[in-house]
Amino acid sequence: MGRKTTGQNPFMVGVIADEDMSAFKSLLLPEVVEALERDEPVTVLGLVQEETACGALAGYVTDNCFHIASLYVAPDYRRQGGGRLLMHILESLLWDEPDIGAIDLSFTTAVTENETLLPFLDAMQYMQENDSGKNIYMFTLDQLNPVTLPKQSDEKEGRIRSFAQLSEDMLRAAQKQSVALGTPHPEQKLTSPQLERELSCAVVKNGRIEAYAAVDDSCCGALTLCALWIGDTNRMLLNTMLKTVIAHAQELYPPQTHVAVQTVNDQSLTLLMKLVPKARKVSYTYRRTI
């Protein structure tokens, strides 16, 4: 167990055993708690001050890297070195692990509280990863340049339809295909009522879905383009699908509505920047070699 004294407030950090986990669950993200309940191999470090659980770090190892899945210090205990101590103890524990060569952390500043992670990780000498255009950007509808609804293609090229216009059987077949092929798809199924079915749209050709753009509110309640797949169709379809979603959003929602779009490559990022130059990057991955 590590120990550090800051002024009159000593912190202690140690790996949390199963029997002590209940005191730290409120300091972990829900998905980490769920993973622990499924007995997945998650390592948890706890931060304690005067016998009070006040912070936690949790993560797992994959591909020779320790991925931090949750990092939190309770508000009353911040700016006292607790977060740094958690990170330093983690690094010391991993130093002697020959199969682990790095630590990384992915997060979104769409959650306001996470904005402090940027200067914190810079100070800890973690390096921001090059995302190669794969990122999440946020904006409001009134920040968009004017977008007109693209003209519909003929039946031979496929017609764009909202999910609300499609049958459950057609959406279910597309879901099965996406799972089988490993293509991008929402965490929930394409048939889920949690999707914004008027905004989510698909290219239908010969009675089958050939491409789709799915929208939900998974990124902090904003309209979120959570999955975009254009298959083997014309690459210009990316432009058409994105413009279709945005044009319909402008018709259906107030100008101050927040929108989150995950770009998937440099092409989609370039297109997004043309449509909304003021879009701000909100997702980051930081990494450090150990």
Side-chain angles (χ1 to χ4, degrees), residues 201-265:
C201 61
V203 174
V204 179
K205 182 179 177 181
N206 298 325
R208 292 185 56 188
I209 291 176
E210 300 288 338
Y212 56 75
V215 180
D216 62 12
D217 62 355
S218 57
C219 188
C220 301
L223 292 177
T224 305
L225 182 61
C226 58
L228 177 62
W229 174 61
I230 58 173
D232 296 324
T233 54
N234 189 317
R235 303 303 294 180
M236 287 301 295
L237 186 59
L238 176 65
N239 188 326
T240 302
M241 296 287 282
L242 188 55
K243 284 187 174 181
T244 297
V245 170
I246 289 174
H248 279 147
Q250 289 178 315
E251 292 176 354
L252 297 172
Y253 292 86
Q256 293 300 316
T257 300
H258 285 83
V259 181
V261 173
Q262 182 165 10
T263 55
V264 295
N265 51 34

Side-chain angles (χ1 to χ4, degrees), residues 1 16 21 28 30 40 48 60 62 81 131 150 161-162 176 182 211 223 228 248 255 271 282:
M1 176 171 288
I16 305 306
M21 193 64 67
L28 298 169
E40 295 182 10
V48 176
Y60 56 92
T62 182
D131 52 47
R161 296 283 185 264
S162 72
K176 288 183 178 180
L223 292 177
L228 177 62
H248 279 147
L271 173 58
V282 297

Side-chain angles (χ1 to χ4, degrees), residues 118-138:
L118 296 172
F120 173 75
L121 292 169
D122 287 336
M124 294 289 296
Q125 299 183 332
Y126 280 65
M127 300 298 293
Q128 187 179 150
E129 292 280 87
N130 181 357
D131 52 47
S132 300
K134 298 178 180 179
N135 217 304
I136 300 173
Y137 289 80
M138 288 194 74

